Amino acid sequence: MSTDPGADLRNLLHDSLDDLQPPTDLHRGVIARGRVARRRRRALTIGGGVAALAVGAALVVPLAAGGGGDVDTAVAGDPSLSTPSQSPSQSPTPGAETPSPAGPSDGTEGEAYSPPPGWWDAPSDELLADLEDLLPADVTVRKADTKSEGYDGKPIDGVGFVRATLDSPFGPGGFEILLYPPEGDEVPGAPYRSRLSCPGNQARYDACTVLRDENGERIGRVSTTTPGDITIHEVALLGPDGGLVYGATANSTDEKWGGTSAPSGTLPPLRAPELRDLVEDETWTSYQP
Amino acid sequence: MGARERDEGGAGADAMTHDEQFTEFMAGCSRQLYRTAYLLTTSPHAAEDLVQTALVKSYVAWRRVRRADDPVAYANGVLIKSFLSDRRRRSSTELPLADLPERPPSSTEDPADPTDRVALMTALARLAPLDRAVVVLRFWEDRSVAQTAADLHLSQAAVKNRSLRALRTLRGLLADPTTIPNGSPS
């Protein structure tokens, strides 16, 4: 018996990856993004006092915009509104046990982008209730996952996502919706541009349409992919304040969807236009943190 | 301020020195970072994103990275923590969704056995992200149980349990990839 219980896996890992080469354009944009992030960090460090005021304003404006308050009053409002006791960002959320976007202390903490609180922080249990309300009459939730995994491996209440198995006339299928906070300043260019273009961040697609607003600006993408025996519809749509709503459905109930996935129905539970209608519903972006 | 500007990449020639140093560093460590990221994310596109995120963070912290005993190990640590930070959303398949390794890469770009890699990545994708991180740290990076526990904020017992569970799952999946179970392993 081997003294190394993982020798076979260790060998397999190395045999499988030893010849793997990174993409030739892997470094593209890294230094440019690094410069932007560094400037932002400097501005936050050097202008600490100014930054504190800016944080106050940033908290006030969403309150005014989302709550129907007086913007003039809010912008010029009492800086005390930014005190921790009134700042949603200071309150622990169900997902707070999950590592923050900035990550654990790794020596770069404070340099990484930390998104502001927003509709993307909606509790997953609430999103599930929203989903049940918004689904077409002949589509129902069979089961759903609204939990994340904490550091200790135990489930914790999730925020900003729902994964579900849906029942429909086409058979059961998978569904998920994810709410993304705005990208940080360190990501240059238009927000979420890789997810709003064709192919963008997709390895491939069978159909892909960019959605634009009346000014011609990209605001979303609808795409369909057919890896193997399954069909996947995806919709990404920019929301208020720079966030993104992403929805996807497939005729597979596998955890991951790909060419090896087994079809669970003849078609996804939602057609692409139905998925688009669902993702475009304002319910997803209505949560007030 | 001269030294500070030089260290932090001020304008002009000093900035070029900083960027040149970092460019050289990237060239030297990218392959290792990419392979680790590939195992963690099981997706070439997500791996690329993860490496770029780790490199941007390393660029910002270049002074500290450069001073580290092993700058590549430092950047690798940033990469793993970035993965763990983002694991909930990534585990929800948004990005890997359409780019799980369904097809063997062409032999011209990849002389390794593509079947092995596809099977391995498909099996790894079935693990919970934290279990995958344990596998990568223990069996790819050869870290000890104690080191892995410290890096992942787990107890040593938890690392051992997760490691054994992951090994058992992977062996089962790799022995017969056609019986990959539905849902996350438990």
Side-chain angles (χ1 to χ4, degrees), chain B residues 37-83:
Chain B
Y38 198 11
L39 290 171
L40 288 170
T41 63
T42 70
S43 152
H45 296 279
E48 190 173 340
D49 284 348
L50 181 57
V51 172
Q52 289 180 342
T53 296
L55 288 174
V56 168
K57 289 181 178 179
S58 298
Y59 178 88
V60 174
W62 177 238
R63 276 196 305 161
R64 198 175 299 118
V65 174
R66 193 177 54 187
R67 283 201 307 267
D69 292 338
D70 185 345
V72 176
Y74 188 106
N76 201 51
V78 173
L79 181 140
I80 290 169
K81 285 167 182 169
S82 296
F83 167 74

Side-chain angles (χ1 to χ4, degrees), chain A residues 47-63:
Chain A
V50 176
L53 289 174
V55 168
L59 290 169
V60 170
V61 171
L63 284 171

